[in-house]
Each structure stands twice: as structure tokens, then as C-alpha cells.
Amino acid sequence: MTTARDLAIAAAAPETHPVVEQGDLSLALAGAELVDLIDSRTVTLEGDRIVPGATPGPDDPVLGEAASVLLRQAPYETVEDWLWRRGRDLAARYRSTLEAEGLVAPARPHRLPFRRARPASPDAPALRRAAERMSTGDPVLLGLSVAAGVTGQPDNNPPTGLTDEQAVVVGTVYDAVTQLAAARQRRSIEQAAFDNIWRGE
């Protein structure tokens, strides 16, 4: 199991916060993959640059795919660039994988497909492990969950207990989610202004 899978499972839980945005979750999943790649020594961070190592890719198919698309030429990719590149549609891909494995029930058609999805096998080890990591406050999973809107935290700051590399990744996810929220707000304002013009207001 991986942090990214645990995050995707947590996002699909029926008690998940009702406003999880696909884009926010995709960025957080890309961050979770990067943490997993760091933990497996597949990559290291030099500042905010992702430096691939010689360790073979992980056994997990989706994480192995992530390792296969790492940029392997200097000056290498920044964490922020990785989040935007790897994160594209990543939430939907994890959702499809979990559905195929029977870990979550197929979601009803909805703008936010992670909302209100009920696990098909609530006693499955994978579901229990994700729930345990969330309940015990695993700092990486908690930080990424808060960033994605899967769970709330009063001060909305990254949790303590992270390694330096984990803190770089989680902090960059927070920044990227903030940028995405600002972009959504700008589009909303522009659309409202456009609608007002057509209404003659």
C-alpha cells in the first residue's frame, strides 16, 4: 500500500468532507506519490528538485508508472512542476483503480465523483489501513488530506512531524492548491461578469 492509495481511499469514504475538488485531490495525490517515491529511495530531493536514483521502481502499478515518467536529465524537475504535470486527472485514475479492485463502489455521475462514495468492502485490509493512518494522525497523510479538503484542520497549516523532504512536498501541495483555488475564483468572477453583460446589468 502507498500514501497515494490511502489518500484516495480516504477521499472516497462516506464521511469525507462534501466539497473535495478533483483538481485539489489530484495535486495532493501527485504529492503523495512523490513522498512514496522518496520513502522508497526511488528519488531524493535536492532543494526543490526531484533527483531520480538507481533504485528500481515500486511494485505498486500506479506508483511504478509515476516512477517511469520522472525526468532524468539535469536540472531535473521541481516539486511544483511535478505536481502540475503528474497531477492532471490523477484523482479519476486512482478512483478507477480502486473501483476495479472493489475497494470502493462505483460513484454516481456527479461533478465531484469522490463525494459520498461508499466502500464496497468496508472490512478490507486496505480500507482498515487507510482509516488507521487517518485516525492516528499520520503527518504526511493528514497534511495532504487537509490540503485536498478531504479533512479539516482548525489552523489549516501543515502538521508537525514531517521530515525535511516531506515538508517540502506537503508545503508545495498547499501552495499549488491555493493557486488552483485562486484560478477557480478568477474564472467564477469572469463568468459572472460575462453573464451580467448578456443580461445588460
mmCIF file with all atom_site columns, all heavy atoms in Angstrom, residues 164-180:
data_model
loop_
_atom_site.group_PDB
_atom_site.id
_atom_site.type_symbol
_atom_site.label_atom_id
_atom_site.label_alt_id
_atom_site.label_comp_id
_atom_site.label_asym_id
_atom_site.label_entity_id
_atom_site.label_seq_id
_atom_site.pdbx_PDB_ins_code
_atom_site.Cartn_x
_atom_site.Cartn_y
_atom_site.Cartn_z
_atom_site.occupancy
_atom_site.B_iso_or_equiv
_atom_site.pdbx_formal_charge
_atom_site.auth_seq_id
_atom_site.auth_comp_id
_atom_site.auth_asym_id
_atom_site.auth_atom_id
_atom_site.pdbx_PDB_model_num
ATOM 1   N N   . ASP A 1 164 ? 12.282 16.792 6.492   1.00 0.00 ? 164 ASP A N   1
ATOM 2   C CA  . ASP A 1 164 ? 12.515 17.979 5.667   1.00 0.00 ? 164 ASP A CA  1
ATOM 3   C C   . ASP A 1 164 ? 11.967 17.784 4.257   1.00 0.00 ? 164 ASP A C   1
ATOM 4   O O   . ASP A 1 164 ? 11.323 18.685 3.700   1.00 0.00 ? 164 ASP A O   1
ATOM 5   C CB  . ASP A 1 164 ? 14.019 18.299 5.594   1.00 0.00 ? 164 ASP A CB  1
ATOM 6   C CG  . ASP A 1 164 ? 14.568 18.803 6.922   1.00 0.00 ? 164 ASP A CG  1
ATOM 7   O OD1 . ASP A 1 164 ? 13.755 19.192 7.791   1.00 0.00 ? 164 ASP A OD1 1
ATOM 8   O OD2 . ASP A 1 164 ? 15.803 18.794 7.096   1.00 0.00 ? 164 ASP A OD2 1
ATOM 9   N N   . GLU A 1 165 ? 12.215 16.609 3.667   1.00 0.00 ? 165 GLU A N   1
ATOM 10  C CA  . GLU A 1 165 ? 11.746 16.361 2.302   1.00 0.00 ? 165 GLU A CA  1
ATOM 11  C C   . GLU A 1 165 ? 10.217 16.292 2.254   1.00 0.00 ? 165 GLU A C   1
ATOM 12  O O   . GLU A 1 165 ? 9.591  16.836 1.341   1.00 0.00 ? 165 GLU A O   1
ATOM 13  C CB  . GLU A 1 165 ? 12.359 15.060 1.761   1.00 0.00 ? 165 GLU A CB  1
ATOM 14  C CG  . GLU A 1 165 ? 13.845 15.168 1.474   1.00 0.00 ? 165 GLU A CG  1
ATOM 15  C CD  . GLU A 1 165 ? 14.414 13.884 0.912   1.00 0.00 ? 165 GLU A CD  1
ATOM 16  O OE1 . GLU A 1 165 ? 13.997 12.793 1.387   1.00 0.00 ? 165 GLU A OE1 1
ATOM 17  O OE2 . GLU A 1 165 ? 15.253 13.953 0.007   1.00 0.00 ? 165 GLU A OE2 1
ATOM 18  N N   . GLN A 1 166 ? 9.617  15.634 3.238   1.00 0.00 ? 166 GLN A N   1
ATOM 19  C CA  . GLN A 1 166 ? 8.158  15.563 3.291   1.00 0.00 ? 166 GLN A CA  1
ATOM 20  C C   . GLN A 1 166 ? 7.562  16.958 3.443   1.00 0.00 ? 166 GLN A C   1
ATOM 21  O O   . GLN A 1 166 ? 6.543  17.277 2.808   1.00 0.00 ? 166 GLN A O   1
ATOM 22  C CB  . GLN A 1 166 ? 7.715  14.674 4.449   1.00 0.00 ? 166 GLN A CB  1
ATOM 23  C CG  . GLN A 1 166 ? 8.015  13.199 4.247   1.00 0.00 ? 166 GLN A CG  1
ATOM 24  C CD  . GLN A 1 166 ? 7.783  12.387 5.501   1.00 0.00 ? 166 GLN A CD  1
ATOM 25  O OE1 . GLN A 1 166 ? 7.626  12.934 6.598   1.00 0.00 ? 166 GLN A OE1 1
ATOM 26  N NE2 . GLN A 1 166 ? 7.757  11.066 5.362   1.00 0.00 ? 166 GLN A NE2 1
ATOM 27  N N   . ALA A 1 167 ? 8.199  17.795 4.258   1.00 0.00 ? 167 ALA A N   1
ATOM 28  C CA  . ALA A 1 167 ? 7.694  19.152 4.471   1.00 0.00 ? 167 ALA A CA  1
ATOM 29  C C   . ALA A 1 167 ? 7.734  19.965 3.180   1.00 0.00 ? 167 ALA A C   1
ATOM 30  O O   . ALA A 1 167 ? 6.831  20.756 2.907   1.00 0.00 ? 167 ALA A O   1
ATOM 31  C CB  . ALA A 1 167 ? 8.507  19.853 5.563   1.00 0.00 ? 167 ALA A CB  1
ATOM 32  N N   . VAL A 1 168 ? 8.783  19.775 2.380   1.00 0.00 ? 168 VAL A N   1
ATOM 33  C CA  . VAL A 1 168 ? 8.864  20.467 1.090   1.00 0.00 ? 168 VAL A CA  1
ATOM 34  C C   . VAL A 1 168 ? 7.701  20.061 0.198   1.00 0.00 ? 168 VAL A C   1
ATOM 35  O O   . VAL A 1 168 ? 7.031  20.900 -0.407  1.00 0.00 ? 168 VAL A O   1
ATOM 36  C CB  . VAL A 1 168 ? 10.209 20.166 0.390   1.00 0.00 ? 168 VAL A CB  1
ATOM 37  C CG1 . VAL A 1 168 ? 10.191 20.658 -1.060  1.00 0.00 ? 168 VAL A CG1 1
ATOM 38  C CG2 . VAL A 1 168 ? 11.362 20.814 1.148   1.00 0.00 ? 168 VAL A CG2 1
ATOM 39  N N   . VAL A 1 169 ? 7.439  18.753 0.131   1.00 0.00 ? 169 VAL A N   1
ATOM 40  C CA  . VAL A 1 169 ? 6.363  18.262 -0.741  1.00 0.00 ? 169 VAL A CA  1
ATOM 41  C C   . VAL A 1 169 ? 5.008  18.732 -0.248  1.00 0.00 ? 169 VAL A C   1
ATOM 42  O O   . VAL A 1 169 ? 4.216  19.287 -1.020  1.00 0.00 ? 169 VAL A O   1
ATOM 43  C CB  . VAL A 1 169 ? 6.398  16.719 -0.822  1.00 0.00 ? 169 VAL A CB  1
ATOM 44  C CG1 . VAL A 1 169 ? 5.209  16.209 -1.631  1.00 0.00 ? 169 VAL A CG1 1
ATOM 45  C CG2 . VAL A 1 169 ? 7.702  16.238 -1.453  1.00 0.00 ? 169 VAL A CG2 1
ATOM 46  N N   . VAL A 1 170 ? 4.723  18.532 1.028   1.00 0.00 ? 170 VAL A N   1
ATOM 47  C CA  . VAL A 1 170 ? 3.412  18.910 1.561   1.00 0.00 ? 170 VAL A CA  1
ATOM 48  C C   . VAL A 1 170 ? 3.197  20.416 1.454   1.00 0.00 ? 170 VAL A C   1
ATOM 49  O O   . VAL A 1 170 ? 2.118  20.878 1.069   1.00 0.00 ? 170 VAL A O   1
ATOM 50  C CB  . VAL A 1 170 ? 3.261  18.427 3.016   1.00 0.00 ? 170 VAL A CB  1
ATOM 51  C CG1 . VAL A 1 170 ? 1.953  18.952 3.627   1.00 0.00 ? 170 VAL A CG1 1
ATOM 52  C CG2 . VAL A 1 170 ? 3.284  16.902 3.080   1.00 0.00 ? 170 VAL A CG2 1
ATOM 53  N N   . GLY A 1 171 ? 4.220  21.194 1.768   1.00 0.00 ? 171 GLY A N   1
ATOM 54  C CA  . GLY A 1 171 ? 4.099  22.647 1.650   1.00 0.00 ? 171 GLY A CA  1
ATOM 55  C C   . GLY A 1 171 ? 3.847  23.086 0.220   1.00 0.00 ? 171 GLY A C   1
ATOM 56  O O   . GLY A 1 171 ? 3.060  24.006 -0.022  1.00 0.00 ? 171 GLY A O   1
ATOM 57  N N   . THR A 1 172 ? 4.488  22.425 -0.730  1.00 0.00 ? 172 THR A N   1
ATOM 58  C CA  . THR A 1 172 ? 4.277  22.770 -2.138  1.00 0.00 ? 172 THR A CA  1
ATOM 59  C C   . THR A 1 172 ? 2.876  22.389 -2.584  1.00 0.00 ? 172 THR A C   1
ATOM 60  O O   . THR A 1 172 ? 2.263  23.094 -3.399  1.00 0.00 ? 172 THR A O   1
ATOM 61  C CB  . THR A 1 172 ? 5.336  22.084 -3.024  1.00 0.00 ? 172 THR A CB  1
ATOM 62  O OG1 . THR A 1 172 ? 6.642  22.399 -2.537  1.00 0.00 ? 172 THR A OG1 1
ATOM 63  C CG2 . THR A 1 172 ? 5.230  22.559 -4.466  1.00 0.00 ? 172 THR A CG2 1
ATOM 64  N N   . VAL A 1 173 ? 2.338  21.280 -2.060  1.00 0.00 ? 173 VAL A N   1
ATOM 65  C CA  . VAL A 1 173 ? 0.955  20.914 -2.367  1.00 0.00 ? 173 VAL A CA  1
ATOM 66  C C   . VAL A 1 173 ? 0.010  21.998 -1.861  1.00 0.00 ? 173 VAL A C   1
ATOM 67  O O   . VAL A 1 173 ? -0.911 22.415 -2.574  1.00 0.00 ? 173 VAL A O   1
ATOM 68  C CB  . VAL A 1 173 ? 0.593  19.545 -1.754  1.00 0.00 ? 173 VAL A CB  1
ATOM 69  C CG1 . VAL A 1 173 ? -0.912 19.287 -1.870  1.00 0.00 ? 173 VAL A CG1 1
ATOM 70  C CG2 . VAL A 1 173 ? 1.363  18.425 -2.443  1.00 0.00 ? 173 VAL A CG2 1
ATOM 71  N N   . TYR A 1 174 ? 0.221  22.474 -0.640  1.00 0.00 ? 174 TYR A N   1
ATOM 72  C CA  . TYR A 1 174 ? -0.613 23.557 -0.104  1.00 0.00 ? 174 TYR A CA  1
ATOM 73  C C   . TYR A 1 174 ? -0.580 24.765 -1.044  1.00 0.00 ? 174 TYR A C   1
ATOM 74  O O   . TYR A 1 174 ? -1.624 25.356 -1.356  1.00 0.00 ? 174 TYR A O   1
ATOM 75  C CB  . TYR A 1 174 ? -0.119 23.980 1.276   1.00 0.00 ? 174 TYR A CB  1
ATOM 76  C CG  . TYR A 1 174 ? -0.704 23.201 2.428   1.00 0.00 ? 174 TYR A CG  1
ATOM 77  C CD1 . TYR A 1 174 ? -0.326 21.884 2.656   1.00 0.00 ? 174 TYR A CD1 1
ATOM 78  C CD2 . TYR A 1 174 ? -1.622 23.768 3.293   1.00 0.00 ? 174 TYR A CD2 1
ATOM 79  C CE1 . TYR A 1 174 ? -0.855 21.159 3.707   1.00 0.00 ? 174 TYR A CE1 1
ATOM 80  C CE2 . TYR A 1 174 ? -2.156 23.053 4.361   1.00 0.00 ? 174 TYR A CE2 1
ATOM 81  C CZ  . TYR A 1 174 ? -1.765 21.749 4.557   1.00 0.00 ? 174 TYR A CZ  1
ATOM 82  O OH  . TYR A 1 174 ? -2.288 21.032 5.606   1.00 0.00 ? 174 TYR A OH  1
ATOM 83  N N   . ASP A 1 175 ? 0.629  25.151 -1.478  1.00 0.00 ? 175 ASP A N   1
ATOM 84  C CA  . ASP A 1 175 ? 0.763  26.317 -2.355  1.00 0.00 ? 175 ASP A CA  1
ATOM 85  C C   . ASP A 1 175 ? 0.036  26.089 -3.682  1.00 0.00 ? 175 ASP A C   1
ATOM 86  O O   . ASP A 1 175 ? -0.636 26.990 -4.198  1.00 0.00 ? 175 ASP A O   1
ATOM 87  C CB  . ASP A 1 175 ? 2.243  26.605 -2.626  1.00 0.00 ? 175 ASP A CB  1
ATOM 88  C CG  . ASP A 1 175 ? 2.974  27.100 -1.384  1.00 0.00 ? 175 ASP A CG  1
ATOM 89  O OD1 . ASP A 1 175 ? 2.305  27.527 -0.426  1.00 0.00 ? 175 ASP A OD1 1
ATOM 90  O OD2 . ASP A 1 175 ? 4.219  27.049 -1.377  1.00 0.00 ? 175 ASP A OD2 1
ATOM 91  N N   . ALA A 1 176 ? 0.159  24.886 -4.252  1.00 0.00 ? 176 ALA A N   1
ATOM 92  C CA  . ALA A 1 176 ? -0.469 24.594 -5.540  1.00 0.00 ? 176 ALA A CA  1
ATOM 93  C C   . ALA A 1 176 ? -1.988 24.605 -5.422  1.00 0.00 ? 176 ALA A C   1
ATOM 94  O O   . ALA A 1 176 ? -2.689 25.113 -6.305  1.00 0.00 ? 176 ALA A O   1
ATOM 95  C CB  . ALA A 1 176 ? 0.016  23.240 -6.067  1.00 0.00 ? 176 ALA A CB  1
ATOM 96  N N   . VAL A 1 177 ? -2.508 24.045 -4.342  1.00 0.00 ? 177 VAL A N   1
ATOM 97  C CA  . VAL A 1 177 ? -3.955 24.050 -4.128  1.00 0.00 ? 177 VAL A CA  1
ATOM 98  C C   . VAL A 1 177 ? -4.461 25.476 -3.976  1.00 0.00 ? 177 VAL A C   1
ATOM 99  O O   . VAL A 1 177 ? -5.531 25.834 -4.491  1.00 0.00 ? 177 VAL A O   1
ATOM 100 C CB  . VAL A 1 177 ? -4.319 23.202 -2.895  1.00 0.00 ? 177 VAL A CB  1
ATOM 101 C CG1 . VAL A 1 177 ? -5.771 23.424 -2.483  1.00 0.00 ? 177 VAL A CG1 1
ATOM 102 C CG2 . VAL A 1 177 ? -4.076 21.724 -3.187  1.00 0.00 ? 177 VAL A CG2 1
ATOM 103 N N   . THR A 1 178 ? -3.689 26.324 -3.299  1.00 0.00 ? 178 THR A N   1
ATOM 104 C CA  . THR A 1 178 ? -4.061 27.730 -3.159  1.00 0.00 ? 178 THR A CA  1
ATOM 105 C C   . THR A 1 178 ? -4.094 28.423 -4.515  1.00 0.00 ? 178 THR A C   1
ATOM 106 O O   . THR A 1 178 ? -5.008 29.200 -4.812  1.00 0.00 ? 178 THR A O   1
ATOM 107 C CB  . THR A 1 178 ? -3.075 28.449 -2.215  1.00 0.00 ? 178 THR A CB  1
ATOM 108 O OG1 . THR A 1 178 ? -3.116 27.824 -0.928  1.00 0.00 ? 178 THR A OG1 1
ATOM 109 C CG2 . THR A 1 178 ? -3.427 29.926 -2.078  1.00 0.00 ? 178 THR A CG2 1
ATOM 110 N N   . GLN A 1 179 ? -3.097 28.139 -5.362  1.00 0.00 ? 179 GLN A N   1
ATOM 111 C CA  . GLN A 1 179 ? -3.079 28.705 -6.710  1.00 0.00 ? 179 GLN A CA  1
ATOM 112 C C   . GLN A 1 179 ? -4.286 28.253 -7.521  1.00 0.00 ? 179 GLN A C   1
ATOM 113 O O   . GLN A 1 179 ? -4.906 29.044 -8.237  1.00 0.00 ? 179 GLN A O   1
ATOM 114 C CB  . GLN A 1 179 ? -1.805 28.285 -7.444  1.00 0.00 ? 179 GLN A CB  1
ATOM 115 C CG  . GLN A 1 179 ? -0.521 28.881 -6.904  1.00 0.00 ? 179 GLN A CG  1
ATOM 116 C CD  . GLN A 1 179 ? 0.698  28.332 -7.627  1.00 0.00 ? 179 GLN A CD  1
ATOM 117 O OE1 . GLN A 1 179 ? 0.677  28.138 -8.846  1.00 0.00 ? 179 GLN A OE1 1
ATOM 118 N NE2 . GLN A 1 179 ? 1.756  28.066 -6.887  1.00 0.00 ? 179 GLN A NE2 1
ATOM 119 N N   . LEU A 1 180 ? -4.636 26.981 -7.388  1.00 0.00 ? 180 LEU A N   1
ATOM 120 C CA  . LEU A 1 180 ? -5.773 26.444 -8.135  1.00 0.00 ? 180 LEU A CA  1
ATOM 121 C C   . LEU A 1 180 ? -7.077 27.075 -7.661  1.00 0.00 ? 180 LEU A C   1
ATOM 122 O O   . LEU A 1 180 ? -7.951 27.395 -8.468  1.00 0.00 ? 180 LEU A O   1
ATOM 123 C CB  . LEU A 1 180 ? -5.822 24.926 -7.977  1.00 0.00 ? 180 LEU A CB  1
ATOM 124 C CG  . LEU A 1 180 ? -6.825 24.181 -8.859  1.00 0.00 ? 180 LEU A CG  1
ATOM 125 C CD1 . LEU A 1 180 ? -6.586 24.481 -10.336 1.00 0.00 ? 180 LEU A CD1 1
ATOM 126 C CD2 . LEU A 1 180 ? -6.729 22.680 -8.601  1.00 0.00 ? 180 LEU A CD2 1
#
